[in-house]
Amino acid sequence: MTYRQANLTSYATTSSEQQQPPLLGWLAIVGLVLVVVVSTFAAGAAARPIYIVSTLGVGIFLYLRYPLLYIGLVWWMWFLTPFISRLIDYRSGFDASRFILVSQYLVTLLTLHTTLKNLPQSSRKGGMPFILAFLGVFYGFLIGFVKTTPFTAARGMLDWLTPISFAFFIFIKWREYPQYRQSMIRIFLWGVLVTGIYGVFQFVTAPEWDRFWLESTKLKSFGDPEPLKIRVWSTMASPGPFASMMMTGLLLLFTSTEFMRIPAAAAGYLAFLLTMVRTLWGCWFVGVLTLLSSLKPKIQMRLMVTVLVMAICVVPLTTMEPFSEAIATRLETLSNLEKDNSAQVRQEIYRDGFTKAMTNILGNGIGNTFIVNEKGVLEPIVIDSGILDMFFTLGWFGAIFYLGGLILLLFQVFQFTEPSFDPFMAAARAIALASFASLPLGSAMLGVSGMMLWGFLAIVLAGHKYYVKQRNPGIN
């Protein structure tokens, strides 16, 4: 058996930890679920601090004892925390600060322990892109600290720093790549299934808690708080991040061999289309082309069969009412961008902001995209361009380091040969490129979208190091 055949065989196997799940870790997760459910429906406003404290406590325990389960907790918190926040708002009153959302950042930023311990010496082991990105973010934070306020700079820092820290944690755990690979496939399989089903339910029924939240926030871009008139955001905070997560999950489904990938794809693609986020529809197509071109012909044929089966399951759903009208109307705008309001707004953003961004040498600093409203609550300012956001925020000094690290990492992963026989690495690389392609039309490097971009770049790098070690056991 050749080396590549051996690794393809191991691709379908599971680790001993997955075969015998750690009992204490799962008990902690079950206990957390019970605490969250009970507090959400019985504790009123106290459910918010209970959620933050309990998730952080379990996060610390899993991070120290069961890193594989910790990774799962992190992803599911990003998937579900906004939904839990809306349920609490519905039962105990709207919280404009949305302070509960800090929990997903706190749990993810536990990885800073690993990052600070290993980052300085990582340049010799392939970690230079992360070092460059951290330098860019740190520079932006210092400028923001001076130009804005410590509070707004710290809040903005959460969005910029969290994805890089999480990605570096995955990279440094390269020895456990097979376990992380299987875990990520399973997490996103069930993530697509659960959030996809809820997304379709949200569109059809407009649940009371979602209507209450939409009316309270007055976000017109999310559609109207009525059945069949909502732009789906499912369990997440808005259509954009949900579409980013769904694009990622749907590309990963091509690497899954479990039967549940079929119903997951049906619900997932339908919910993905109902987000009405055309940019990420196009990025998904970029991802599919990248994935197909990365694989050997034999694996390409197998993937094409999977695509065909999924299309047979999904296409009839998109042509049925009440879905077809909403999807068809949005698709028609792709051929008539001159009359499309959102396209015109983006053109104005680039026309008015490009020169200002490119001539902003020092930058406005991290935190400049938040304002304090008349109620004393932080509100984000949306910049529909990740490129402009980088230069506005980090200036030339910070953006050169940050964007340089990102491009260097992207360039590196496209030099690797392992994706030709490891479908997961091929899918992860395709996800990274698709996410990067969305930067001109959205800040895909921040928050949950940044988690997808940086996280999947990191796991490709980890996979490469793992395979190099298998070929050359003497290499450290």
Side-chain angles (χ1 to χ4, degrees), residues 6-22:
N7 279 291
L8 276 172
T9 303
S10 70
Y11 181 79
T13 65
T14 59
S15 69
S16 59
E17 182 180 356
Q18 288 170 312
Q19 292 169 349
Q20 298 176 350

Side-chain angles (χ1 to χ4, degrees), residues 4-15 18-19 177-179 181-182 185-186 255-258 302 421-424 467:
R4 293 189 175 188
Q5 288 172 333
N7 279 291
L8 276 172
T9 303
S10 70
Y11 181 79
T13 65
T14 59
S15 69
Q18 288 170 312
Q19 292 169 349
Y177 166 73
Q179 296 95 307
R181 173 180 61 191
Q182 289 299 114
I185 292 173
R186 188 169 292 111
T255 70
S256 174
T257 57
E258 296 186 29
R302 191 174 67 194
F421 62 86
D422 185 333
F424 175 81
Y467 285 121

Side-chain angles (χ1 to χ4, degrees), residues 129-143 157 160 164 366 390 393-395 397-403:
F130 301 101
I131 295 175
L132 293 175
F134 271 111
L135 288 173
V137 170
F138 184 66
Y139 168 83
F141 174 74
L142 292 179
I143 296 297
M157 187 71 162
W160 286 88
I164 308 172
I366 289 176
M390 283 184 206
T393 302
L394 306 179
F397 292 107
I400 286 175
F401 281 105
Y402 184 88
L403 193 56

Side-chain angles (χ1 to χ4, degrees), residues 114-127:
T114 297
T115 299
L116 296 176
K117 185 171 68 172
N118 294 279
L119 188 65
Q121 65 268 26
S122 67
S123 61
R124 297 179 290 104
K125 302 176 181 179

